Amino acid sequence: MNPLLECNALSKRYGNVTALSDINLTLERGKIVGLLGPNGSGKTTLIKLINGLLVPSKGQLLINGTAPGTETKKVVSYLPDKTYLNNWMKVKDLLNFFEDFYYNFDKKRAYDMLEKLHINPNDSLKTMSKGTKEKVQLILVMSRNADLYVLDEPIGGVDPASRDYILDTIISNYNENSTVLISTHLIADVENVLDEVIFIQNGRINLQSSVDDIRMKEGKSVDAYFREVYKC
Ligand SMILES: Nc1ncnc2c1ncn2[C@@H]1O[C@H](COP(=O)(O)OP(=O)(O)OP(=O)(O)O)[C@@H](O)[C@H]1O
């Protein structure tokens, strides 16, 4: 079986700026993986390459053995760092839209999550706070039965009390054959749900490790270790 995600000598340049440099990376199935790095380290660039929104300057990126395209978009569920949904749409219309668009969208799961987060399906996005909009987007993304969920800053605008529920939602809505890749700066909030972390800096991967290994070898949390490695 092909790895879920494989990057071979992957590089991406924007003009003179090298955003990713010669990255080799493999992601297995059934893991929750944190993509962690300081501002400008290349996280969003990698995520956009996974989603076929950018093309590599050099090297290769494969999902289930296939380059990003129509086939991989069926199995990758993506939460971008910026909203792309129409503000005038009601939540229930968005659910119908996703159901039409994605054969693997589970509308019942989405309604269950909305209820638990006290979000009214008849509300339109334009009436919602930033954090509630983010919750709606995450619900849409996590309600697909995907192989790979790619979440770019999923809890950035959400209050601390809701973060735990959202993280629980992420854990309980992926199955053992799928993987969740989460890019975030809120390491302390997410590290308890992570199996693995990838540290990225200046477009290079410094470390790919299980969270347990970091805690055992370094004797500290991932958050404390990250602060030590990236100390300014
Ligand atoms: N469209 C672009 N044109 C030119 N340079 C870009 C573009 N997008 C990103 N970059 C540069 O590429 C590098 C990586 O950026 P990227 O957005 O991938 O980082 P990031 O780790 O997601 O950062 P952050 O945590 O701040 O969101 C940075 O130096 C950034 O300035």
Side-chain angles (χ1 to χ4, degrees), residues 12-20 35-48 54 81 152-153 183-185 200 203:
K12 178 65 192 175
R13 294 173 65 88
Y14 301 100
N16 292 332
V17 178
T18 301
L20 291 178
L35 179 61
L36 313 177
N39 293 125
S41 53
K43 301 180 296 295
T44 297
T45 301
L46 178 60
I47 285 174
K48 286 184 175 168
L54 294 171
D81 58 346
D152 200 350
E153 284 288 348
S183 156
T184 185
H185 294 292
I200 185 169

Side-chain angles (χ1 to χ4, degrees), residues 2-3 5-12 21-27 46 56-63 65-66 205:
N2 288 312
L5 176 84
E6 200 179 355
C7 301
N8 300 312
L10 179 70
S11 297
K12 178 65 192 175
S21 183
D22 213 18
I23 282 193
N24 294 302
L25 174 71
T26 303
L27 288 190
L46 178 60
S57 306
K58 269 197 209 150
Q60 194 185 36
L61 184 151
L62 301 173
I63 296 156
T66 307
I205 289 176

